[in-house]
């Protein structure tokens, strides 16, 4: 047995909690998705110990110079777009202002914009050109709850703070830097369009304005609806704490809310009340007992109690707990999800409440293109890392100090392209994953916040509207635009991505994890958004208003009346 084969077998066994009698072949036969993702490198003989990223893929061209010059000349507009999205800080599926700001910039640069992708009123597709290869880019622009933070401030200082004597909260903030992501993707698409126009290239550019990525909703429903059909390649990126191309996989994910309905009562006289909060807490507690024996290292689940009651002296007759369930493939995620569902059923029975199980969304794990990442990496090496100022490093070090991390400042080099780690231990998810099973997809990361700090943290909000975030967006735009133009001008590179995609997806039939007939989670947009985008409400096929969820349960019995104690 070769060292490479042994390392691959050990990786799969460790990642998925399988015993010593299992073999790589049986694992991959049982789950073709793992064969397409984790098993691909092993079949190719690719090992982190011996891999060297190829060079000479990226070529200089007049078209690439035009794209780069446009980004340089419009850097203030690109940074301004990012900052405007940051100021709006709109939550998932309610990105009314943010989506329109992005669309206006695209329209001003010759793109045709079609609103309402897959029924989401804050989603759109912007198209430039016709014929030739069709290359797609992504713009996301949703913020996260509770991550408001003043820009450039290295101590936790929410920009929006909601006072409540019993439970204060923070406002929303771009703690995943999607303002930077949206601006970078938009700039890349426009830069490629400028090069197509200036040099008479035959190609089509599509920018997908995506709603609700933080909830893994927008692309998952849009792919199922066919919005991403017809692409020859998709180039995506995400803000992170390093700058690198990669072809790692991610976790598959299912999202659902479990609502427990009971009967309210007085906290001081609780007998006979049926508490929705009891149901939610029982479910959470039971699910915790799954972790030791039912969750492999590649698995994750986490939850939030959405409406746990307003006061301790009122038994809440409704409480919802929202779960994300992650695993290394759709099949494995479904198995873990089914166990979580059983916990919900048992919790409802034990708390004498009625369970309403509402599925929200689901996405596969990422199938990132090795061939595409190598092209992107070569362009990144040609262009160089983001350039940060001394002030940027000072802010980064202060944030690292505030969060008890080594004070290293911002990274000044690219992180080398390497194969996926020898041990897959689960982790992040993205709804770009469903796109990646439709068309060859290359992805990269660009440093938008300091190393050692996690995304979904206030420190990311602090840097996302500073020069640190601006440099990440501008660098990502350059990397993406250059790589897209290489695919247009060097057809053999695009063909290489397609050949890899065909090989890896042979024997895998992508099927959306979203059940047929599922209505996506939606919010009714303001009238001004509908008017500005030419949409009507509700979208076709959507039931609105959504049927109300009301607790109609009777009070519980406390047994027969007993004689008074004398």
């Amino acid at each position: 047995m070769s060292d490479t084969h042994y390392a691959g077998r050990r990786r799969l066994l460790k990642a998925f909690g399988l015993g010593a009698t299992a073999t790589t072949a049986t694992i991959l036969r049982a789950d073709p998705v793992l064969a397409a993702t984790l098993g691909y490198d092993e079949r190719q003989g690719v090992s982190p110990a011996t891999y060297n990223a190829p060079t000479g893929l990226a070529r200089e061209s007049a078209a690439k110079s035009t794209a780069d010059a446009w980004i340089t000349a419009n850097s203030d507009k690109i940074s301004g777009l990012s900052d405007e999205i940051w100021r709006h800080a709109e939550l998932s599926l309610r990105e009314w202002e943010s989506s329109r700001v992005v669309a206006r910039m695209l329209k001003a640069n010759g793109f045709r914009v079609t609103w309402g992708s897959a029924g989401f009123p804050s989603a759109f597709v912007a198209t430039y050109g016709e014929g030739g290869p069709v290359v797609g880019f992504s713009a996301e622009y949703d913020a996260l709850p509770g991550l408001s933070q003043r820009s450039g401030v290295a101590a936790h200082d929410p920009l929006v703070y909601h006072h409540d004597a019993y439970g204060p909260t923070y406002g929303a903030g771009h703690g995943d830097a999607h303002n930077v992501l949206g601006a970078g993707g938009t700039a890349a698409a426009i830069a490629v369009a400028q090069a197509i126009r200036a040099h008479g290239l035959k190609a089509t550019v599509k920018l997908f304005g995506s709603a609700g990525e933080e909830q893994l909703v927008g692309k998952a429903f849009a792919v199922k609806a066919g919005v991403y059909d017809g692409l020859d390649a998709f180039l995506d990126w995400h803000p992170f704490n390093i700058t690198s191309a990669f072809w790692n996989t991610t976790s598959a994910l299912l999202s659902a809310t479990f609502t427990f309905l009971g009967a309210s009562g007085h906290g001081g006289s609780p007998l006979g009340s049926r508490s929705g909060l009891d149901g939610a807490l029982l479910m959470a507690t039971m699910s915790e007992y799954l972790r030791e024996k039912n969750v492999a290292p590649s698995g994750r689940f986490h939850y939030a109690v959405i409406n746990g009651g307003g006061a301790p002296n009122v038994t809440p007759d409704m409480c919802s707990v929202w779960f994300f369930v992650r695993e290394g493939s759709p099949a494995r995620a479904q198995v873990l999800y089914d166990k979580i569902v059983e916990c919900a059923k048992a919790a409802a029975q034990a708390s004498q409440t009625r369970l309403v199980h509402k599925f929200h969304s689901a996405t596969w794990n990422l199938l990132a293109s090795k061939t595409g990442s190598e092209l992107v990496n070569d362009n990144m090496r040609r262009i160089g890392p983001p350039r940060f100022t001394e002030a940027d490093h000072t802010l980064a070090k202060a944030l690292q100090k505030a969060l008890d991390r080594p004070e290293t400042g911002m990274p000044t080099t690219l992180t080398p392209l390497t194969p996926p780690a020898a041990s897959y231990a689960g982790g992040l998810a993205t709804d770009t994953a469903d796109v990646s099973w439709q068309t060859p997809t290359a992805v990269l990361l660009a440093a938008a916040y300091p190393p050692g700090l996690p995304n979904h943290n206030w420190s990311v909000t602090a840097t996302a509207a500073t020069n640190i975030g601006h440099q990440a967006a501008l660098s990502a735009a350059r990397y993406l635009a250059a790589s897209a133009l290489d695919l247009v001008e060097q057809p053999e590179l695009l063909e290489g991505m397609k050949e890899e995609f065909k090989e890896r997806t042979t024997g895998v039939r992508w099927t959306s994890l979203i059940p047929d007939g599922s209505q996506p989670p939606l919010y009714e947009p303001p009238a001004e958004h509908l008017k500005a985008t030419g949409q009507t409400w509700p979208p076709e096929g959507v039931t609105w208003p959504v049927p109300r969820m009301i607790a109609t349960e009777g009070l519980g019995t406390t047994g027969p009346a007993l004689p008074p104690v004398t």
Side-chain angles (χ1 to χ4, degrees):
M1 179 183 293
S2 70
D3 290 343
T4 297
H5 180 84
Y6 178 76
R9 179 177 184 273
R10 181 177 58 190
R11 174 187 66 192
L12 288 171
L13 294 177
K14 181 177 180 180
F16 296 105
L18 298 169
T21 58
T23 67
T24 301
T26 57
I27 296 167
L28 300 184
R29 277 199 302 269
D31 196 331
V33 174
L34 296 183
T37 52
L38 295 180
Y40 177 72
D41 290 338
E42 182 174 354
R43 293 198 306 275
Q44 298 297 312
V46 175
S47 165
T50 59
Y51 176 79
N52 289 304
T55 58
L57 302 173
R59 296 180 186 171
E60 299 295 336
S61 74
K64 291 169 76 170
S65 296
T66 296
D68 190 78
W70 185 88
I71 294 169
T72 299
N74 291 273
S75 59
D76 287 346
K77 290 182 180 179
I78 298 165
S79 299
L81 173 64
S82 177
D83 290 353
E84 186 168 358
I85 298 170
W86 185 93
R87 286 192 295 271
H88 290 307
E90 294 171 302
L91 292 172
S92 290
L93 308 173
R94 288 159 278 184
E95 313 97 328
W96 319 124
E97 297 288 346
S98 302
S99 61
R100 296 206 304 275
V101 169
V102 173
R104 279 198 296 270
M105 187 169 184
L106 289 158
K107 289 181 72 173
N109 285 277
F111 281 73
R112 309 181 299 276
V113 176
T114 303
W115 284 94
S117 306
F120 293 101
S122 60
F124 64 85
V125 180
T127 306
Y128 183 90
E130 58 183 2
V134 183
V135 181
F137 299 96
S138 183
E140 298 162 11
Y141 27 68
D142 52 338
L144 286 160
L147 293 183
S148 177
Q149 168 68 17
R150 294 188 184 278
S151 177
V153 176
H156 195 188
D157 186 9
L159 180 64
V160 178
Y161 179 91
H162 302 293
H163 169 73
D164 184 284
Y166 297 102
T169 57
Y170 313 134
H174 274 285
D176 209 15
H178 281 188
N179 61 306
V180 177
L181 191 163
T186 300
I190 295 173
V192 173
Q194 294 287 333
I196 290 173
R197 180 188 303 123
H199 300 279
L201 301 177
K202 198 71 172 176
T204 303
V205 181
K206 288 195 171 186
L207 185 287
F208 296 85
S210 182
E213 195 282 333
E214 295 292 5
Q215 297 177 1
L216 286 299
V217 171
K219 297 187 197 68
F221 277 90
V223 170
K224 183 178 175 67
V227 173
Y228 288 83
D229 289 355
L231 290 173
D232 289 291
F234 189 70
L235 302 179
D236 198 15
W237 82 287
H238 202 284
F240 203 59
N241 54 23
I242 60 171
T243 302
S244 181
F246 72 96
W247 75 88
N248 301 27
T249 190
T250 59
S251 294
L253 182 145
L254 294 100
S255 166
T257 294
F258 302 86
T259 300
F260 298 86
L261 300 169
S264 59
H266 196 298
S269 304
L271 293 182
S273 299
R274 300 183 188 222
S275 171
L277 179 59
D278 285 353
L281 295 180
L282 282 168
M283 179 187 177
T285 301
M286 280 189 280
S287 70
E288 292 296 340
Y289 283 94
L290 295 175
R291 295 194 190 273
E292 181 182 12
K293 300 178 182 67
N294 290 271
V295 183
S298 54
R300 301 281 192 280
F301 65 83
H302 28 273
Y303 48 85
V305 176
I306 304 303
N307 48 349
N313 62 341
V314 180
T315 301
D317 64 3
M318 176 191 293
C319 184
S320 301
V321 57
W322 183 8
F323 269 76
F324 275 6
V325 179
R326 307 176 193 254
E327 247 289 6
S329 73
R332 293 181 65 87
Q334 186 67 56
V335 169
L336 181 54
Y337 179 79
D338 290 344
K339 294 175 181 178
I340 297 290
V341 171
E342 291 304 311
C343 288
K345 294 176 182 177
Q349 184 175 5
S351 61
Q352 301 179 55
T353 55
R354 174 165 55 97
L355 173 66
V356 178
H357 170 195
K358 184 170 178 55
F359 175 90
H360 292 309
S361 186
T363 184
W364 282 41
N365 54 312
L366 183 70
L367 181 68
S369 172
K370 173 179 178 288
T371 306
S373 72
E374 289 172 339
L375 171 61
V376 171
N377 178 69
D378 204 28
N379 273 297
M380 295 172 78
R381 294 200 298 191
R382 180 182 65 84
I383 294 168
R387 297 179 179 179
F388 299 112
T389 66
E390 283 304 314
D392 296 335
H393 291 296
T394 298
L395 173 60
K397 290 177 181 179
L399 287 165
Q400 289 164 331
K401 181 178 181 180
L403 289 165
D404 297 324
R405 290 294 181 266
E407 298 173 42
T408 59
M410 293 301 297
T412 57
T413 61
L414 301 173
T415 298
L417 177 65
T418 57
S423 176
Y424 177 72
L428 306 179
T430 171
D431 60 4
T432 294
D434 277 359
V435 181
S436 74
W437 290 91
Q438 317 306 310
T439 190
T441 299
V443 286
L444 67 93
L445 306 169
Y449 54 94
L453 304 185
N455 49 352
H456 294 204
N457 183 274
W458 62 266
S459 60
V460 180
T461 314
T463 62
T466 69
N467 187 62
I468 293 174
H470 299 163
Q471 292 306 311
L474 295 170
S475 294
R478 290 188 170 95
Y479 305 148
L480 293 170
S483 301
L485 287 167
D486 275 326
L487 294 177
V488 172
E489 296 187 297
Q490 300 184 65
E492 68 277 11
L493 295 178
L494 181 57
E495 190 59 32
M497 289 182 68
K498 290 183 175 182
E499 284 298 320
E500 178 194 329
F501 179 78
K502 181 179 179 181
E503 178 187 352
R504 295 178 74 171
T505 56
T506 298
V508 179
R509 181 176 176 270
W510 180 87
T511 303
S512 175
L513 291 172
I514 300 170
D516 291 343
S518 297
Q519 180 166 307
L522 292 170
Y523 296 88
E524 184 171 358
E528 63 175 315
H529 181 79
L530 294 173
K531 181 179 179 181
T533 59
Q535 299 182 75
T536 58
W537 186 262
E540 183 179 354
V542 169
T543 300
W544 201 267
V546 176
R548 297 194 301 171
M549 194 182 301
I550 305 294
T552 57
E553 320 321 298
L555 292 167
T557 178
T558 57
L562 300 175
V565 177
T566 59

